[in-house]
């Protein structure tokens, strides 16, 4: 299995998820500033826009971080990173798995571009409503599905950590505590070591 990845990008989601599963993988570093690097045919086969993360697993090619995390959770059920089909938490899990790319990211654009909120027209609601939903999602926690850590926390966790890092939120005690819980996970710490270059491995 190969993860096309670049440090300090959304590819961290795929990397953290792989570290949660413990599955063997090869990291293929892409320089997203370099047209030559993004022209890598194997990357293009997995990711037509040349974006990271992208995953190659046998005949499977996936280029969306949410889909990659969901796929890996289902492929490695022994790690219980997704409620299985038929589980009462499956619906909530799928909703939170998609929340980052369908709600948080557009809401961040709304905030950073200083667009006027249009919560009825915009599918993500608004920046404020997104934050309210997130606060409720991690309260009481520890994870968005309560006691059960899942692939959805990889998505939501990286988003909350990103928003804190770039000071997009004011003080948010529940979200701050959640971010610290995510960051304390051994798989997340291994991911950060790889991102920084210390723990990089291939194959
Ligand atoms: N929705 C995609 C977004 C991926 C994405 O935009 N990745 C950026 C890095 S954070 C990228 O590869 N940019 C390089 C480019 O677009 O050329 C996902 O979540 O996987």
């Amino acid at each position: 299995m190969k993860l096309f990845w670049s440090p300090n990008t959304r590819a961290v989601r795929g990397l953290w998820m792989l570290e949660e599963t413990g599955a063997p993988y090869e990291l293929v570093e892409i320089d997203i500033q370099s047209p030559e690097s993004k022209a890598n045919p194997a990357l293009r086969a997995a990711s037509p826009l040349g974006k990271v993360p992208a995953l190659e697993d046998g005949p499977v090619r996936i280029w969306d971080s949410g889909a990659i995390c969901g796929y890996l959770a289902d492929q490695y059920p022994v790690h219980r990173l997704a409620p299985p089909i038929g589980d009462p938490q499956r619906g909530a899990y799928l909703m939170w798995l998609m929340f980052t790319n369908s709600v948080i990211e557009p809401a961040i654009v709304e905030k950073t571009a200083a667009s006027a909120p249009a919560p009825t027209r915009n599918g993500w609601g608004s920046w404020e409503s997104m934050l309210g939903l997130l606060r409720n999602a991690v309260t009481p926690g520890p994870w968005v599905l309560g006691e059960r850590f899942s692939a959805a926390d990889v998505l939501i966790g990286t988003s909350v950590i990103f928003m804190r890092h770039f000071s997009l939120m004011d003080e948010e005690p529940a979200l701050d505590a959640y971010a610290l819980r995510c960051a304390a996970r051994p798989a997340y710490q291994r991911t950060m070591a790889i991102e920084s270059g210390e723990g990089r491995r291939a194959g």
Side-chain angles (χ1 to χ4, degrees), residues 55-107:
L55 189 77
E56 175 187 313
D57 183 21
V60 174
R61 306 281 185 279
I62 315 178
W63 53 260
D64 173 79
S65 56
I68 289 170
C69 291
Y71 171 82
L72 290 172
D74 288 346
Q75 286 296 104
Y76 298 93
V78 69
H79 298 290
R80 303 171 61 80
L81 292 163
I85 291 172
D87 186 294
Q89 284 194 307
R90 180 82 181 175
Y93 161 74
L94 290 174
M95 187 186 64
W96 291 115
L97 189 67
M98 293 175 194
F99 194 78
T100 283
N101 283 333
S102 61
V103 178
I104 299 179
E105 290 219 359

Side-chain angles (χ1 to χ4, degrees), residues 165-189:
H165 181 78
F166 288 99
S167 303
L168 294 178
M169 311 182 289
D170 296 330
E171 205 175 315
E172 287 284 349
L175 293 173
D176 291 349
Y178 172 74
L180 292 177
R181 288 195 289 278
C182 289
R185 289 185 71 82
Y188 184 83
Q189 290 177 5

Side-chain angles (χ1 to χ4, degrees), residues 97-166:
L97 189 67
M98 293 175 194
F99 194 78
T100 283
N101 283 333
S102 61
V103 178
I104 299 179
E105 290 219 359
I108 288 176
V109 174
E110 173 190 306
K111 180 172 175 68
T112 54
S115 309
T120 307
R121 188 189 66 210
N122 293 335
W124 63 90
S126 67
W127 166 260
E128 288 303 332
S129 65
M130 178 279 289
L131 267 188
L133 290 168
L134 268 188
R135 263 181 229 123
N136 287 344
V138 303
T139 309
W143 309 113
V144 296
L145 298 181
E147 291 301 321
R148 187 178 208 166
F149 179 86
S150 72
D153 291 295
V154 172
L155 274 297
I156 301 289
T158 48
S159 303
V160 172
I161 290 168
F162 174 91
M163 290 190 289
R164 286 177 93 227
H165 181 78
F166 288 99

